[in-house]
Amino acid sequence: MTARLKQWLAGEREKLAGLPRREQLRYIWDYYKLYLTAFAALLLIGGTTAWHLATTPSENWFFACFANTTVNLGEGSGFYDGFASWAGYDLKEKNLVFEDQLYCRPSTNPMGDTYYELLVAYLEAGTLDVVLMEEAELVALGETGRLIDLRDARTEDLCTSCEDRLVYVTSSEGEEIPVGIDLSDTALAAEAYGGDCVLGVSANVPHPDQVSVFLSYLLEGGAS
């Protein structure tokens, strides 16, 4: 503690010592209410944050990004609750994350686009399972190598079962690589994408076994 601070504290104590208790409280409030209010707010925010950290699960059941839609598909929506129930997820045990506030166009020059950079971060960090967007945009994203080749061992069953729905990108060697599953005939596509919707799986997919569960929900009418 510096000498100046000690001197200031001594002066404040001297002022308070000569006042009745009620006047002491009034003095403290009049001169320090901004500091007291800020301190109380910090305590409230800190307590709320600590509570959320203690009660919110740290792991995910599944994480899907619905890019370029204005339809509410996130937490609290009928779509979100319907899938959680369909999949049998206990949301007290793990999280279900539906990101529906991300708008980007990989088919244009997306560098510097905050939303695109966020999508890339999700994909490269291995936190995102699937991304849904218009076919042209998903193909452009697939050309960056951030979507799995659906022939991969983690998704080969999907490649077989959805053979008539596959969407491809062409490699620099001219090879056709399946990176998307066309969902344009689903209720979700009609409602959220005007009938143009393709699903891609992250090259770093953390929950490959849950992708088939999600597709079943979409293709078997659970999302209608």
Side-chain angles (χ1 to χ4, degrees), residues 68-121:
N68 306 332
T69 180
T70 58
V71 176
N72 176 23
L73 301 170
E75 185 174 356
S77 69
F79 180 78
Y80 178 97
D81 293 340
F83 176 62
S85 176
W86 171 281
Y89 294 158
D90 181 351
L91 298 184
K92 293 180 180 178
E93 180 183 344
K94 297 181 184 180
N95 301 304
L96 171 61
V97 183
F98 280 0
E99 168 61 75
D100 63 355
Q101 298 294 312
L102 197 152
Y103 310 90
C104 63
R105 300 291 176 188
S107 61
T108 64
N109 182 6
M111 301 311 296
D113 183 328
T114 302
Y115 285 120
Y116 178 75
E117 292 175 357
L118 178 59
L119 176 58
V120 169

Side-chain angles (χ1 to χ4, degrees), residues 4-187:
R4 180 175 296 179
L5 180 57
K6 289 181 179 179
Q7 184 178 5
W8 178 79
L9 289 173
E12 291 300 292
R13 283 197 294 267
E14 184 176 346
K15 289 178 185 177
L16 292 171
L19 297 174
R21 184 168 182 79
R22 179 175 295 180
E23 293 299 318
Q24 288 178 347
L25 294 175
R26 180 178 297 173
Y27 177 87
I28 292 171
W29 177 249
D30 286 345
Y31 285 90
Y32 301 108
K33 58 186 174 184
L34 291 178
Y35 300 100
L36 292 171
T37 301
F39 182 68
L42 285 174
L43 286 178
L44 178 61
I45 293 170
T48 302
T49 301
W51 182 84
H52 279 295
L53 289 174
T55 58
T56 301
S58 59
E59 297 183 10
N60 296 332
W61 287 110
F62 188 69
F63 185 168
C65 175
F66 303 88
N68 306 332
T69 180
T70 58
V71 176
N72 176 23
L73 301 170
E75 185 174 356
S77 69
F79 180 78
Y80 178 97
D81 293 340
F83 176 62
S85 176
W86 171 281
Y89 294 158
D90 181 351
L91 298 184
K92 293 180 180 178
E93 180 183 344
K94 297 181 184 180
N95 301 304
L96 171 61
V97 183
F98 280 0
E99 168 61 75
D100 63 355
Q101 298 294 312
L102 197 152
Y103 310 90
C104 63
R105 300 291 176 188
S107 61
T108 64
N109 182 6
M111 301 311 296
D113 183 328
T114 302
Y115 285 120
Y116 178 75
E117 292 175 357
L118 178 59
L119 176 58
V120 169
Y122 283 147
L123 291 166
E124 295 188 348
T127 57
L128 184 65
D129 290 292
V130 300
V131 56
L132 297 91
M133 56 201 330
E134 303 91 332
E135 181 174 346
E137 306 306 331
L138 190 111
V139 167
L141 182 63
E143 289 172 344
T144 70
R146 295 186 173 96
L147 299 179
I148 201 169
D149 178 340
L150 292 170
R151 297 169 299 183
D152 185 279
R154 292 168 291 173
T155 52
E156 60 184 350
D157 289 346
L158 295 177
C159 193
T160 301
S161 63
C162 297
E163 184 177 6
D164 59 341
R165 294 178 175 273
L166 296 178
V167 173
Y168 297 83
V169 297
T170 305
S171 72
S172 56
E173 292 79 23
E175 181 186 9
E176 293 289 299
I177 301 172
V179 297
I181 297 174
D182 185 4
L183 300 175
S184 296
D185 60 348
T186 64

